[in-house]
Amino acid sequence: MNNEFLEKIKELGVHEYGIIPVENVPFEHEVREMCAANRCGSYAKTWCCPPGCGTEEECREKCMKYKNVLVFSTKGDLEDSFDFEGMTEAMVRHKAVSKKVRLLFKETFGDDFFALSSEGCGNCEKCTYPDAPCRFPDDMMPSVESYGIMVYKEAAAAGIHYINGANTVTYFSNIFFK
Ligand code: SF4
């Protein structure tokens, strides 16, 4: 991966990034259990989250076809730790930045990659799940957690911060590539 691309993703709004071999991605069953507890409210609501995104094994296999992972974060500033509006705004921004990074990756390196973002999908007002196929399969990014990845461990493996200080929120995305 060239430096020019990595400089450009910073310009797009990426806070930090790191590249790790796919063998170092911490897939853990516990993460899928946390999804099933539905604390984020996205479980069984979209094709981007369990169970619609596939079984644990299917998700892992899909990732393991690739060689490396670009792990990147965005950081949002909050008024305080109860600033839920700020968290939502930061999530919307993270998804937008992730889409731009994915598009730049595609334009720079081609189609052979797979991207994950944070939380549910958000592309459509109402997801087609489970009644009909996804409307925009090429434009949806399942969540990192939905694929069973323990994000704080992955951030540590990539050498980037999981937490960026008081009154901030940090979200993560992945691009798997060869
Ligand atoms: S793009 Fe639309 S149909 Fe597809 S998973 Fe997202 S919300 Fe659902």
Side-chain angles (χ1 to χ4, degrees):
M1 186 163 294
N2 59 49
N3 286 340
E4 192 186 343
F5 172 81
L6 294 169
E7 278 164 25
K8 278 187 187 164
I9 67 172
K10 294 286 276 186
E11 289 165 18
L12 292 177
V14 166
H15 176 58
E16 289 183 308
Y17 62 80
I19 296 171
I20 58 173
V22 74
E23 293 78 23
N24 291 6
V25 174
F27 293 97
E28 296 192 9
H29 175 65
E30 189 189 338
V31 184
R32 291 282 291 223
E33 288 180 342
M34 288 191 275
C35 285
N38 199 21
R39 283 197 206 107
C40 73
S42 297
Y43 186 79
K45 295 272 171 51
T46 84
W47 293 109
C48 284
C49 294
C53 65
T55 66
E56 250 180 282
E57 291 70 28
E58 287 167 344
C59 291
R60 187 187 171 113
E61 269 175 30
K62 191 167 179 178
C63 295
M64 295 307 286
K65 285 184 192 151
Y66 297 91
K67 197 172 169 205
N68 295 301
V69 191
L70 169 67
V71 183
F72 63 92
S73 66
T74 66
K75 178 172 82 81
D77 294 317
L78 305 174
E79 285 177 12
D80 54 46
S81 51
F82 298 101
D83 181 8
F84 299 113
E85 199 177 313
M87 288 177 206
T88 303
E89 281 171 14
M91 169 55 72
V92 169
R93 180 175 165 272
H94 177 79
K95 284 180 182 293
V97 170
S98 297
K99 281 185 181 181
K100 287 180 192 167
V101 172
R102 183 184 61 176
L103 183 62
L104 181 65
F105 193 98
K106 187 174 177 170
E107 289 169 353
T108 310
F109 302 113
D111 283 329
D112 196 6
F113 70 92
F114 174 59
L116 299 173
S117 184
S118 283
E119 294 195 9
C121 183
N123 279 349
C124 307
E125 205 168 306
K126 182 163 178 8
C127 185
T128 56
Y129 181 86
D131 303 317
C134 172
R135 291 185 191 96
F136 308 110
D138 295 335
D139 199 31
M140 60 98 113
M141 295 170 78
S143 72
V144 179
E145 293 86 353
S146 76
Y147 270 57
I149 297 168
M150 189 63 87
V151 177
Y152 81 91
K153 289 186 182 174
E154 188 186 50
I160 64 178
H161 293 92
Y162 180 66
I163 295 171
N164 281 285
N167 298 332
T168 68
V169 62
T170 308
Y171 294 110
F172 295 85
S173 288
N174 284 184
I175 292 183
F176 290 77
F177 63 100
K178 288 186 174 158

